[in-house]
Amino acid sequence: MLGMKRLLSYARRACDDYNMINEGDVIAVGVSAGKDSLSLLYTMAALSGFYPKKFKVIAITVDMKFHELGDDRVPADYSPIAELCKKLGVEYFIEESNIAKIVFDIRKTPNPCSLCAKLRRGALNEAAKRLGANKVALGHHFDDAVQTFMLNLFYEGRIGCFSPVTYLDRTDITVIRPLVYAPEKDIEYFASHACLPVISSSCPANKNTEREEMKILLANIERGNKGLRHRIFGAMQRGHVSGFKEAKIKSYDDEE
């Protein structure tokens, strides 16, 4: 399938570099229904067929229930994702939650994304543990890593990012990010050609976040400074920021 070879190459390299997968792992892919998580699901299902260390993949969606925030909203239809999971031979689970109501109706926090992400991760990790998984795979990619690093620098004045691998002793779950080497454009390419059942987010804060602003800022700067994001990522690796390691990242830009 168009684009799958690239994503598999990125994912396998990340899994090897950071020892993300061990024999007998049960890995729960957090499926938000966006292009990143669906591409990760497809990639991990394919990788499980030939990776030297055998592992099992399951998929979990945390239903945020954004439809309860207004009369004009409708419940999300996850049946296309269930069909995709059936095609991939992956068990699919939907975890019910009241996160949207907590964030927007009860807490009414001025920074909803941070609280929402924290609650969503908690619900996902608890569900994964209950379903027998020992690892959770998230769809964060190369561009997410660069943006997160810059967001921490700009808004918090600190050097940091999410880690490729994080062990959570409180829940005994290890979080892995197999697409950390994959540029967003390669994920977009695969998602469009694979006709993945992407569901648009109905979150009231969608596309109106500091992350979106940083994404636009970096894109604008890179127009006159080609390779900027790769240089930032390289600096993160050389500086061993948040557990990143020095490793060669193959770029397909010159082949296009």
Side-chain angles (χ1 to χ4, degrees):
M1 184 173 293
L2 291 173
M4 183 79 278
K5 183 178 179 180
R6 288 190 181 188
L7 294 190
L8 280 170
S9 175
Y10 288 127
R12 175 152 190 179
R13 195 175 312 125
C15 288
D16 289 346
D17 286 351
Y18 293 96
N19 193 28
M20 292 185 180
I21 298 175
N22 294 307
E23 185 74 29
D25 279 345
V26 178
I27 301 176
V29 176
V31 179
S32 67
K35 64 175 177 21
D36 302 336
S37 63
L38 289 173
S39 295
L40 173 63
L41 172 63
Y42 216 113
T43 301
M44 295 303 288
L47 189 64
S48 69
F50 67 86
Y51 198 71
K53 300 174 183 177
K54 300 302 179 184
F55 65 96
K56 178 183 177 181
V57 176
I58 65 173
I60 303 174
T61 292
V62 176
D63 187 355
M64 314 284 278
K65 295 189 177 179
F66 287 118
H67 67 278
E68 295 184 352
L69 297 179
D71 296 334
D72 59 337
R73 299 172 184 266
V74 296
D77 179 13
Y78 297 114
S79 59
I81 298 176
E83 285 299 315
L84 174 62
C85 288
K86 184 177 180 180
K87 172 185 173 182
L88 297 175
V90 172
E91 290 182 276
Y92 181 50
F93 304 90
I94 298 176
E95 182 75 1
E96 302 289 340
S97 79
N98 58 351
I99 293 176
K101 189 172 287 291
I102 292 174
V103 172
F104 291 99
D105 285 349
I106 299 175
R107 296 286 292 274
K108 298 180 181 179
T109 173
N111 184 16
C113 296
S114 178
L115 176 60
C116 184
K118 181 178 181 180
L119 294 175
R120 186 174 66 248
R121 287 194 300 266
L124 174 61
N125 293 339
E126 289 179 8
K129 189 68 177 178
R130 187 176 67 250
L131 293 167
N134 64 310
K135 290 181 178 175
V136 167
L138 302 179
H140 295 123
H141 48 66
F142 170 88
D143 294 83
D144 285 329
V146 173
Q147 291 161 19
T148 299
F149 175 81
M150 295 301 290
L151 284 166
N152 286 331
L153 184 63
F154 274 44
Y155 295 104
E156 298 183 24
R158 66 182 180 88
I159 303 296
C161 184
F162 54 71
S163 298
V165 177
T166 305
Y167 174 67
L168 306 174
D169 54 6
R170 185 174 167 184
T171 54
D172 192 28
I173 286 284
T174 299
V175 177
I176 62 174
R177 295 174 167 91
L179 294 183
V180 73
Y181 288 161
E184 185 174 21
K185 64 182 179 62
D186 287 338
I187 294 174
E188 290 176 339
Y189 180 86
F190 171 71
S192 63
H193 285 81
C195 298
L196 297 182
V198 174
I199 299 175
S200 298
S201 174
S202 57
C203 172
N206 191 37
K207 298 297 183 181
N208 186 29
T209 64
E210 291 176 346
R211 180 173 293 277
E212 187 66 20
E213 292 176 0
M214 180 58 69
K215 179 178 179 179
I216 294 171
L217 174 63
L218 287 170
N220 288 336
I221 296 176
E222 187 150 18
R223 288 193 182 96
N225 297 271
K226 187 173 175 58
L228 172 68
R229 286 169 297 173
H230 279 82
R231 290 193 293 275
I232 294 173
F233 194 90
M236 293 166 58
Q237 291 179 303
R238 290 187 294 275
H240 303 287
V241 173
S242 300
F244 280 84
K245 301 177 182 178
E246 290 188 71
K248 174 68 175 177
I249 301 177
K250 179 179 178 181
S251 174
Y252 291 90
D253 291 346
D254 295 335
E255 300 176 12
E256 295 175 347

